Amino acid sequence: MKEYNTLLFDIDGTLLDFKKAEDYALHKTFIDHQLELTDEIFEIYETINKKLWKEFELGLIDKNTVVYTRFVKLFEQLKINEDGVAFEDEYQKNLGDGAYLIEYALEILNELYKEYDLYVVTNGVARTQYNRLDLLDLRKYFKKIFISEEIGYQKPKIEFFDFCFKHIKNFDKEKTLIIGDSLSSDMQGGINAKIDTCWYNPDYLKTDMNLNYIIHNLKDLEKILK
């Protein structure tokens, strides 16, 4: 079994249950504006949001364009008279309050940080990510937190990883593993950076990507690392 000393963790969908946090934040923000969040409206929002994040990963738009146009586009499409920019600010506040752990996340972090150097690598909104990590008291497990918004480049861009590597003490690419749920940002990013990849895949999805490891729950990391 290959030896690692540096583990790069994605947050949303890997350590934190983003779907649950998103559901909480969307419903609360819609309710606060006396709006009904129907399944149909959620599907429209999902389509708009995923398209914007994909464009962001490709470097076609910046983070502000993602977050500050998604509700604008949604309300325009639905012909709802709401300020999409102000709505986004309220949504981000509620999203930051919705901190839910993925199963085994706390257990595995508590074990791994004693033996490995752990780092966060995320494309999420900085203020939201810091707030959620603080609510769950997770910062203590990580040597550094790398957020694309602060770096100026996003996963899967090699520039994002180059920045991270320069700020990791005694960095050794051969002993580094990235763990994440996204094929397009985490796994492709790992491939671009030429480090080993571990895809957290709880839904047993299929992929043709050449990955080093695939796990279906976080406890499976123990089999890889020990």
Side-chain angles (χ1 to χ4, degrees):
M1 189 68 70
K2 189 170 180 180
E3 286 189 12
Y4 298 99
N5 58 26
T6 303
L7 306 180
L8 309 181
F9 276 95
D10 172 54
I11 296 182
D12 290 321
T14 304
L15 295 175
L16 301 187
D17 191 331
F18 180 77
K19 289 180 181 177
K20 188 181 288 188
E22 179 186 50
D23 185 68
Y24 163 78
L26 282 172
H27 277 91
K28 186 176 189 314
T29 314
F30 269 74
I31 288 170
D32 288 347
H33 285 255
Q34 289 83 50
L35 297 172
E36 183 183 3
L37 179 59
T38 64
D39 290 343
E40 180 184 2
I41 290 175
F42 178 73
E43 286 178 12
I44 295 169
Y45 168 77
E46 278 254 279
T47 300
I48 293 169
N49 192 44
K50 286 180 179 177
K51 182 175 184 294
L52 288 168
W53 278 107
K54 179 61 68 177
E55 290 173 356
F56 171 67
E57 288 177 3
L58 294 172
L60 302 176
I61 59 176
D62 61 18
K63 177 74 66 60
N64 273 346
T65 302
V66 176
V67 298
Y68 283 116
T69 63
R70 54 189 174 186
F71 288 113
V72 171
K73 289 176 179 290
L74 177 67
F75 295 145
E76 284 176 352
Q77 189 168 333
L78 296 174
K79 295 181 170 53
I80 293 175
N81 185 25
E82 283 284 346
D83 183 342
V85 173
F87 196 93
E88 174 66 37
D89 284 333
E90 291 179 44
Y91 168 71
Q92 283 297 333
K93 163 71 169 61
N94 292 327
L95 191 63
D97 292 338
Y100 308 97
L101 286 162
I102 294 281
E103 187 179 20
Y104 301 122
L106 191 59
E107 180 181 341
I108 204 74
L109 287 176
N110 201 45
E111 291 179 12
L112 295 180
Y113 95 108
K114 299 169 187 173
E115 300 180 43
Y116 302 89
D117 291 336
L118 310 186
Y119 297 86
V120 164
V121 288
T122 176
N123 280 346
V125 176
R127 67 180 183 273
T128 303
Q129 301 297 52
Y130 284 128
N131 195 61
R132 293 156 75 212
L133 289 171
D134 287 340
L135 283 172
L136 294 166
D137 194 26
L138 297 185
R139 283 216 221 186
K140 63 188 178 186
Y141 296 114
F142 300 101
K143 298 286 187 181
K144 278 185 173 50
I145 296 170
F146 296 111
I147 302 180
S148 62
E149 186 179 315
E150 297 178 332
I151 292 172
Y153 297 99
Q154 67 276 9
K155 299 178 295 182
K157 286 182 171 293
I158 187 62
E159 291 90 347
F160 174 90
F161 290 94
D162 284 344
F163 180 94
C164 297
F165 298 163
K166 286 175 185 175
H167 291 81
I168 294 176
K169 191 175 180 180
N170 301 319
F171 176 72
D172 185 344
K173 189 175 287 193
E174 295 299 316
K175 294 185 177 181
T176 300
L177 179 70
I178 183 170
I179 302 108
D181 69 302
S182 171
L183 290 173
S184 59
S185 64
D186 302 317
M187 298 302 97
Q188 188 59 54
I191 291 169
N192 292 348
K194 295 181 171 55
I195 58 174
D196 282 3
T197 52
C198 178
W199 183 30
Y200 172 58
N201 176 25
D203 297 324
Y204 291 80
L205 303 175
K206 302 293 184 185
T207 182
D208 294 327
M209 293 179 75
N210 184 22
L211 306 174
N212 298 96
Y213 311 99
I214 298 175
I215 60 173
H216 304 299
N217 72 71
L218 292 177
K219 277 191 72 67
D220 289 341
L221 274 174
E222 295 174 343
K223 301 172 186 175
I224 295 171
L225 299 170
K226 296 184 178 181

